[in-house]
Every structure is written in C-alpha cells, then in structure tokens.
Amino acid sequence: CDLKKFECTYYYSKFGKFLLNNRYVMLPYGELIRQKEFLYETLGNNECLFVRPSSGFKSFTGTVIHIDEFDRKIESFGTYDIEDHHVVVVSEPKNIWQEWRLFVVDKQVVTGSLYKESRKISHSPDVPNEVIDFGNSIASLWQPDPAFALDVCRTNSGELKLVEINSFSSSGLYACDKNKLVKSISEMALKEWKEYKNI
C-alpha cells in the first residue's frame, strides 16, 4: 500500500469526471466551520453537504451533514485525531442506489461483490458486466498499486460512478470470489518476483 496515492488530493485528478463526488472543495479541517456558509451556498443540496477526509487512513467516516448539525458534527471529528491542517473533501451529496467493491490485480478487475443496495447492507457475488467494464475502464486510466480495490456505485439516476479507491490490504472482501482473488494475486506476485530476479 503506497498510502499517499490513496489520498483524495492525489487520485481525484486521475479520475475526474468518473468520480461520484466530482464537484468538491478541499480545505483544511480547521477551516470547515469558518467556511460553512460558503460551502452550503456552493455545494449544498437540501441544506446538506457530504464531508470526508482526504486521507487514505479514513480518520473519520464520510457522512452527509445537515446545516443544523454542521458545527456539532465537525467538532466531533476532532475525537478521531484529525488535526486542523488535515485536508478534508466537501462535496454535493448524491443519492446512491447500489454499491460494489471490485478488486483490480495487474490492471484487470478479477472479482467483485455487491455490498450495499438502497442504503442497506447487501452482499452478493453477482456483479453486472457493465460494472466490471466500468471498473476496467477506471483501472486502465491509472493504478495506485499493482493490486487495489475500487468502490463503484450506481446512482438513483442510473449512472455508474467511482466512489473511491482503497488499498488491497485493508479492504473487506464481502462476497468476492476468494479463490479468483488468491489465484490472481499469486500469479502477480510470482511475475513480480521473476522480474525482480531477472528470470
């Protein structure tokens, strides 16, 4: 895991128009409350904003915040060891219908799983071909590591979007095909070892 590459500040520019949160502002955590009015005027939807950390460590869980709860919620993030200079991402909230986790190994999606549907946890190994194709098109643009995870969603309007990327080592497998994943990772590791040894 090359952790810096999993920062939103690092990878958002790689995927731009494919991002679910493609209209966003990045700013220091310590500026959120001072900039509240500007943020809601610029990105608010029904008096709500989505806020998440830029960090790949996910120092707090990304969440939708209503304007009436904003100050209290933002101050509560301080209990997660986030400091004033840490960068956060603020974006327009979106309605998501389905979410999948896809595992990319050596630039190809090798397995995936549905993990949420209509805001409820729902694990299934059935992933539509169009979702796999979308994941492969994302993976063809740029890879943070030889193996990583993509979280892809379908919005209520039917569009496929990239929610985020995650490190391979810290991503839950849900209902992914573990045999396919182990086989592909083993083949990639052997290939890397042979290249390293000049075999």
Side-chain angles (χ1 to χ4, degrees), residues 66-85:
H66 188 273
I67 193 167
D68 293 340
E69 294 285 304
F70 190 77
D71 290 22
R72 184 184 65 77
K73 283 269 195 183
I74 297 306
E75 287 171 359
S76 75
F77 294 155
T79 63
Y80 296 100
D81 294 329
I82 186 167
E83 298 182 30
D84 282 350
H85 67 278

Side-chain angles (χ1 to χ4, degrees), residues 82-93:
I82 186 167
E83 298 182 30
D84 282 350
H85 67 278
H86 290 166
V87 176
V88 294
V89 181
V90 180
S91 62
E92 184 181 12

Side-chain angles (χ1 to χ4, degrees), residues 25-30 32 51-55 59-60 77 82 85-90:
V25 169
M26 294 187 185
L27 71 166
Y29 163 72
L32 281 170
V51 181
R52 62 153 296 163
S54 171
S55 170
S59 45
F60 62 88
F77 294 155
I82 186 167
H85 67 278
H86 290 166
V87 176
V88 294
V89 181
V90 180

Side-chain angles (χ1 to χ4, degrees), residues 153-169:
C153 74
R154 190 189 307 279
T155 66
N156 283 8
S157 63
E159 288 183 290
L160 291 176
K161 291 290 184 179
L162 174 64
V163 178
E164 63 182 358
I165 63 172
N166 293 291
S167 70
F168 177 84
S169 302

